Amino acid sequence: MSKFDEIMKRSGYSRATVSRVINRSPHVSDEARRIITEIMNELDYIPNRNAVSLSTGQTKQIGIVTAMIDELSLTFINQFMDTAMDYGFQTIVYMSRSDKQIELQAFEDLRSKRVDGLLIVTCVNDPGELKTYLQYGPMVSWQRMGNDEIPSIAMDQAQGYRLALEHLVSKGYTRIANVFGRSNSLNTKSRREAYETFMTSQGLPVWREAYQYSVFTSSDGETALRRMANGGELPQAVLCSNDYAAIGIMSEARRHNIHVPDQLAIVGFDDIELSRVLELTTIHNPIAEQAKQAFYHLWRVLGNEEHKATSLAYRLIERATT
Amino acid sequence: MSKFDEIMKRSGYSRATVSRVINRSPHVSDEARRIITEIMNELDYIPNRNAVSLSTGQTKQIGIVTAMIDELSLTFINQFMDTAMDYGFQTIVYMSRSDKQIELQAFEDLRSKRVDGLLIVTCVNDPGELKTYLQYGPMVSWQRMGNDEIPSIAMDQAQGYRLALEHLVSKGYTRIANVFGRSNSLNTKSRREAYETFMTSQGLPVWREAYQYSVFTSSDGETALRRMANGGELPQAVLCSNDYAAIGIMSEARRHNIHVPDQLAIVGFDDIELSRVLELTTIHNPIAEQAKQAFYHLWRVLGNEEHKATSLAYRLIERATT
DNA sequence: TTGTATGCGTTATCAT
DNA sequence: ATGATAACGCATACAA
């Protein structure tokens, strides 16, 4: 006999009434509530979540799909977890390690009702295939999806990039090098276009020869600076894929006795904690706000209150490197 | 009507037979299997995992409890995931961010049958309290538990530490500095004792003044070396809390023009990927094997085949820093 | 090989 | 406020 039945028996109340006190329904006499609660405690009772989920059709659980957890995604994930928890949702992480099969498990879990919804931080499967899972439950993505069918709360980085460009030019830096991440990513494409369009519009030269790709870490940044230093004329300023890269460039510049910002101005991207400490000029990426929006999106689709999607924007944070 | 019922109706077979082909029972006619499988595909059927779990009492899911995911724990977690998958188990990560309440959710999920077992990579709650959850399902811990009741597959680091000490002394280094992690952790205690016992047994002086604590990252390592350099007499060798710290010490030594290993020998701990590249002498920590053992332990308690627990050992990896 | 009946632990819809 | 009963979707012991 299950504990639930035991409670029924001992208390003398019916299945329904016991369920009511478990779920804090107001329609129970104080007497019943008292007696049943007491027995629940005696028995150390806790509902079987599989049974609850089967009955309600909801798991109150949201899956987080990500290949890996790094400092940036962690900021996002943490904020998402907090928000979800505020609304009574648990979150579980599906770390795929870029394995398509493992990643797919998360989506199959949506299909088999193990989670109510999915947050995609990073995914390796083809969005075109993943979108078929939309019929089983809501999903949002942080990563930009080429596909428009899977909703994404990603922002267009071009806006942030323009901010940096305007800042640099207004300060008199015109010979600007660009250090990108993945060469074929949507974000890189956006940034590159933003740069080329902006420079052209200002009547300034577009410096394609100075493009560098696959610069992600601070150690990549160090390498990047060395290439610049060895590559003839030094740029007046460099726009970085992210703050880590910028930090690498900054520290390597110091070793090369290149003065920042006089000889080389540096602008990062994302505005991570460290960049404040190191006084790096950067573009503030409202990650926490995006995480909230991501949850609100799921929340909305899961059939609850509306939530206005406040529009987010990048912000330039001027510090000591420009 | 559920898809399951739909399959019954369309195929004309009974509930039991349908269930049999779903679960690949051999006791079905080819005919029945063919027909039912076909209908399953037509209907795009997939079992509701809540129903399955409720019925079987098993979720085939193991929870991984960890405060944070860093490179070291990642090695462990990845291997555990692979092993678990080989045995048909899914894994989900409960990242507590050192929040006791959040961490407790994982344990409550064991209680409420959301997971079949728990792997504790790191935990912040008191082991004395956590052990009460053992009645709800199996748990293993990687982290050492002061408490003996929660099984742990952690190894005694003293063995590895002695290896390093023997190596150093045999090479003629006797003025040895120790760089530890958390000052009050069980591991630090083990190591410190191993050092003091060993030195005493060799008739060598114990150098307590050179103890440094809270050295975790490579940047901590850099600081540690600076302290040594400014602290009067340099040690002949330094034993590090982990490879990151060792790498920090190594690179900072280079900047101070301290030659390794002639002026300073360095021994790391764990044998991470990077240490091979950087030719760091270190103690190999059989993390992957520990992860397997962790799973086997759960597997055994979950009532399946026995698995001999092969005993693991640390190994000295001599490279260029000694 | 197949079918019947029952159980898993809970919620929800009606009544009363 | 309380209770009887069905429903959730599936597995399984037992019969046939």
Side-chain angles (χ1 to χ4, degrees), chain B residues 66-313:
Chain B
T66 186
M68 195 90 321
I69 296 183
D70 54 30
E71 281 191 53
L72 204 68
S73 60
L74 198 57
T75 310
F76 186 83
I77 291 174
N78 281 342
Q79 180 63 56
F80 184 89
M81 285 181 158
D82 285 341
T83 311
M85 199 174 328
D86 288 345
Y87 287 79
F89 280 81
Q90 235 186 59
T91 50
I92 59 182
V93 180
Y94 293 88
M95 200 171 41
S96 72
R97 299 150 52 193
S98 301
D99 181 310
K100 292 194 180 186
Q101 249 357 81
I102 297 181
E103 180 179 283
L104 226 39
Q105 237 177 25
F107 292 84
E108 287 295 318
D109 272 12
L110 181 65
R111 188 147 94 101
S112 61
K113 309 284 184 206
R114 248 299 132 93
V115 292
D116 292 338
L118 244 30
L119 166 70
I120 302 172
V121 175
T122 272
C123 76
V124 289
N125 277 282
D126 175 34
E129 305 208 354
L130 295 181
K131 73 163 192 253
T132 63
Y133 285 90
L134 273 170
Q135 55 184 303
Y136 305 113
M139 337 189 311
V140 230
S141 168
W142 186 27
Q143 174 180 306
R144 287 177 67 173
M145 292 298 194
N147 188 308
D148 269 350
E149 324 203 35
I150 297 182
S152 164
I153 46 83
M155 297 164 57
D156 184 5
Q157 303 197 344
Q159 184 241 323
Y161 219 64
R162 272 192 298 273
L163 246 38
L165 288 162
E166 288 162 8
H167 172 67
L168 287 177
V169 170
S170 79
K171 284 231 158 189
Y173 306 104
T174 55
R175 186 174 169 77
I176 301 172
N178 291 270
V179 162
F180 300 112
R182 272 195 303 149
S183 67
N184 57 349
S185 80
L186 292 172
N187 285 331
T188 295
K189 193 153 166 285
S190 276
R191 294 183 182 197
R192 200 170 35 210
E193 282 175 8
Y195 165 73
E196 294 177 1
T197 307
F198 179 82
M199 296 307 270
T200 306
S201 77
Q202 300 289 308
L204 294 168
V206 170
W207 194 14
R208 292 200 177 78
E209 299 73 37
Y211 289 171
Q212 289 197 46
Y213 294 96
S214 299
V215 181
F216 306 100
T217 67
S218 57
S219 126
D220 293 338
E222 295 177 338
T223 310
L225 183 116
R226 264 177 254 126
R227 262 202 288 265
M228 293 181 216
N230 298 335
E233 194 176 2
L234 208 64
Q236 295 176 321
V238 53
L239 255 163
C240 302
S241 51
N242 62 50
D243 288 344
Y244 293 109
I247 290 169
I249 290 180
M250 184 165 49
S251 60
E252 187 70 10
R254 189 170 304 136
R255 274 172 230 123
H256 285 241
N257 291 316
I258 298 172
H259 190 268
V260 177
D262 300 340
Q263 292 173 270
L264 179 68
I266 303 175
V267 181
F269 208 99
D270 288 336
D271 192 26
I272 62 173
E273 269 298 307
L274 206 54
S275 66
R276 198 178 49 74
V277 178
L278 300 180
E279 301 187 82
L280 175 71
T281 292
T282 188
I283 303 299
H284 176 75
N285 190 350
I287 294 180
E289 289 77 4
Q290 290 179 71
K292 284 186 193 172
Q293 290 214 353
F295 177 79
Y296 294 148
H297 176 90
L298 293 181
W299 173 257
R300 181 155 17 93
V301 181
L302 284 174
N304 300 285
E305 299 148 35
E306 199 73 16
H307 247 290
K308 69 283 168 193
T310 53
S311 77
L312 271 24

Side-chain angles (χ1 to χ4, degrees), chain A residues 58-187:
Chain A
Q58 289 222 347
T59 62
K60 285 293 181 180
Q61 215 165 232
I62 292 179
I64 299 180
V65 181
T66 185
M68 194 91 322
I69 295 183
D70 55 28
E71 280 192 52
L72 204 67
S73 59
L74 198 57
T75 311
F76 186 82
I77 291 175
N78 281 342
Q79 180 62 57
F80 184 90
M81 285 182 158
D82 286 341
T83 311
M85 199 174 326
D86 287 345
Y87 288 78
F89 280 82
Q90 233 185 61
T91 50
I92 59 183
V93 179
Y94 293 87
M95 199 171 42
S96 73
R97 300 150 51 194
S98 300
D99 181 311
K100 292 194 180 188
Q101 251 354 83
I102 297 182
E103 180 179 282
L104 226 39
Q105 239 177 23
F107 292 84
E108 287 295 319
D109 273 14
L110 181 64
R111 187 147 95 100
S112 61
K113 310 284 184 207
R114 250 296 132 95
V115 292
D116 293 337
L118 243 31
L119 167 70
I120 302 172
V121 175
T122 273
C123 76
V124 289
N125 277 282
D126 175 34
E129 305 208 354
L130 294 182
K131 74 164 190 249
T132 63
Y133 285 91
L134 273 170
Q135 55 184 300
Y136 305 113
M139 336 189 310
V140 231
S141 169
W142 187 28
Q143 175 179 306
R144 287 179 67 172
M145 293 296 195
N147 187 308
D148 269 351
E149 324 203 36
I150 297 183
S152 164
I153 47 84
M155 297 165 56
D156 183 5
Q157 304 197 342
Q159 182 242 324
Y161 221 64
R162 272 193 298 272
L163 245 39
L165 288 162
E166 287 164 8
H167 172 66
L168 287 176
V169 170
S170 79
K171 284 233 159 187
Y173 307 103
T174 55
R175 187 173 170 78
I176 301 172
N178 290 270
V179 162
F180 299 113
R182 274 195 303 150
S183 68
N184 57 351
S185 80
L186 292 172
N187 285 332

Side-chain angles (χ1 to χ4, degrees), chain A residues 179-180 191 215-222 224-225 228 238-254 260 264-272 274-275 278-283 321:
Chain A
V179 162
F180 299 113
R191 294 182 183 198
V215 182
F216 305 101
T217 67
S218 57
S219 124
D220 294 338
E222 295 177 338
L225 183 116
M228 292 181 215
V238 53
L239 253 163
C240 303
S241 50
N242 62 50
D243 288 343
Y244 293 109
I247 289 169
I249 290 180
M250 184 166 46
S251 61
E252 188 70 9
R254 189 170 304 135
V260 176
L264 180 68
I266 304 174
V267 181
F269 207 98
D270 288 336
D271 192 26
I272 60 174
L274 206 53
S275 66
L278 300 179
E279 300 188 82
L280 174 71
T281 292
T282 188
I283 303 299
T321 60

